[in-house]
Amino acid sequence: METSSFWLSLWLLFATAGTVFCDVLAIPRDVGPRRIVSASITSDEILWDLLKTPEERKRILAFSPLVDNDRYSHIVKEAKAIPKRFPASAEGIVSLKSDLVILTSFNNPSYRTILKKINTPVLELNNFSKLTDIAAHISTIGEAIGKTDAGYRMRKDFEADLMEAQPKANNKATPKKPTVLMYSTTGNAMAGDTIFDDMVRHCGGVNLASRGGQKGWPQINAEAVLKLRPDFVVISDSDEAAFKTSNVWQMLRATKCQRIIKIPAATLWSSSHKVAAAVQKICEALSSSVQTKC
């Protein structure tokens, strides 16, 4: 069985893509894993679009629980075809008898320990701070499940969507970069080392939450939001109603200038190729601001 060189090449690919492939069992190259378990919404959505036909999708044994939550998932309805969900218990994980489990760095570390004990191959996706990380995860998952060509095409389509959304360079003097703030009703913003921060940069803007070197999801109060005076505020559609009733909403410069960018929650929080739609919306808004003043 010609597997050792195949898995070595996979390990090399994953090591360079910010992805770890560990505890691998020999799976024939021409077959690939047949009982694939996804433990995150990232791999749920990528797997669904890599495996196109009902017959191919029989290879998916279970999705993550988040696949059923439309705040995070784009495939709530479609995922009903895969009834099993990744369990939180050791007994449940063992009972799946999977031949590939796709984890992420933000899954519970105990899952990897359990899977190692029962000799189940694990693919762990790391790095979720840049759009290029998503592109790497697409091709990595494609390679791992024996759909290298499909993964390559999906990655190229994703990269093409990002390129198309990006504002085109012109010969005019470079205008002041528009400032952007993502704000949620929980009082959190998305700062540096987040996909949102990379989206804003990709679109030619400045993420105010990342100024001063802030990273992750810092808390930011209403007074601070008003002082920052962002040109644009990005909100999720699920936050819109509560946001509109807040005092901040009425006093924001972005509200007065009609520069509130509303994005479906599942798209705004996405760490799969589905985030391209959010990039497009942000880029369109920021590009139009160059032409209009407020």
Side-chain angles (χ1 to χ4, degrees):
M1 187 178 295
E2 187 182 351
T3 57
S4 58
S5 61
F6 172 56
W7 291 115
L8 175 60
S9 67
L10 280 186
W11 183 88
L12 291 171
L13 170 66
F14 301 154
T16 58
T19 311
V20 176
F21 197 91
C22 56
D23 309 324
V24 176
L25 293 178
I27 299 173
R29 182 175 185 174
D30 58 342
V31 175
R34 310 301 297 176
R35 296 175 63 82
I36 305 167
V37 171
S38 169
S40 76
I41 188 61
T42 302
S43 46
D44 293 342
E45 293 183 340
I46 292 174
L47 277 173
W48 185 260
D49 284 347
L50 279 175
L51 300 171
K52 295 288 189 183
T53 68
E55 188 62 31
E56 285 183 320
R57 287 169 178 163
K58 288 179 181 178
R59 297 172 59 191
I60 304 173
L61 181 61
F63 277 141
S64 76
L66 280 182
V67 81
D68 300 312
N69 187 333
D70 61 8
R71 184 176 171 83
Y72 303 100
S73 172
H74 294 86
I75 56 170
V76 172
K77 186 181 296 184
E78 297 89 333
K80 296 184 187 303
I82 313 294
K84 291 186 179 180
R85 298 294 174 257
F86 184 76
S89 68
E91 295 81 4
I93 292 171
V94 172
S95 70
L96 287 174
K97 298 180 181 178
S98 54
D99 58 7
L100 176 65
V101 176
I102 305 176
L103 300 176
T104 65
S105 53
F106 47 81
N107 282 127
N108 190 322
S110 67
Y111 297 159
R112 193 192 315 164
T113 303
I114 296 166
L115 292 162
K116 184 176 182 178
K117 285 182 179 179
I118 60 175
N119 294 320
T120 298
V122 174
L123 170 62
E124 182 177 334
L125 305 175
N126 297 309
N127 300 337
F128 289 87
S129 60
K130 297 188 184 312
L131 295 166
T132 51
D133 294 333
I134 297 174
H137 296 333
I138 293 168
S139 53
T140 297
I141 292 174
E143 187 80 20
I145 66 171
K147 298 286 289 184
T148 303
D149 291 345
Y152 175 82
R153 289 191 298 271
M154 185 190 291
R155 176 176 182 159
K156 289 300 178 184
D157 287 345
F158 174 66
E159 292 171 336
D161 288 342
L162 298 182
M163 186 65 68
E164 184 178 352
Q166 196 168 37
K168 305 298 184 289
N170 56 50
N171 297 323
K172 298 179 181 179
T174 304
K176 174 180 172 290
K177 291 185 176 182
T179 57
V180 184
L181 185 71
M182 193 294 299
Y183 190 66
S184 73
T185 50
T186 62
N188 291 96
M190 283 196 274
D193 280 354
T194 63
I195 290 173
F196 176 79
D197 186 64
D198 199 40
M199 285 194 285
V200 173
R201 193 181 305 110
H202 180 85
C203 294
V206 175
N207 179 14
L208 290 176
S210 64
R211 282 187 174 176
Q214 287 210 87
K215 297 180 180 180
W217 292 66
Q219 281 278 327
I220 181 168
N221 61 38
E223 183 180 354
V225 172
L226 293 172
K227 282 183 178 179
L228 285 170
R229 288 177 54 82
D231 295 321
F232 290 87
V233 172
V234 178
I235 62 172
S236 72
D237 59 353
S238 58
D239 279 341
E240 182 182 22
F243 192 46
K244 281 187 173 181
T245 60
S246 69
N247 293 331
V248 179
W249 173 273
Q250 298 301 331
M251 293 186 285
L252 274 173
R253 175 169 170 263
T255 301
K256 296 172 184 177
C257 296
Q258 297 185 330
R259 289 181 174 176
I260 303 295
I261 306 172
K262 182 180 69 173
I263 299 175
T267 305
L268 180 59
W269 314 132
S270 178
S271 54
S272 79
H273 56 299
K274 303 292 189 181
V275 80
V279 176
Q280 182 179 20
K281 196 154 189 177
I282 293 171
C283 284
E284 284 179 355
L286 269 57
S287 180
S288 66
S289 74
V290 175
Q291 310 298 330
T292 59
K293 292 183 179 182
C294 174

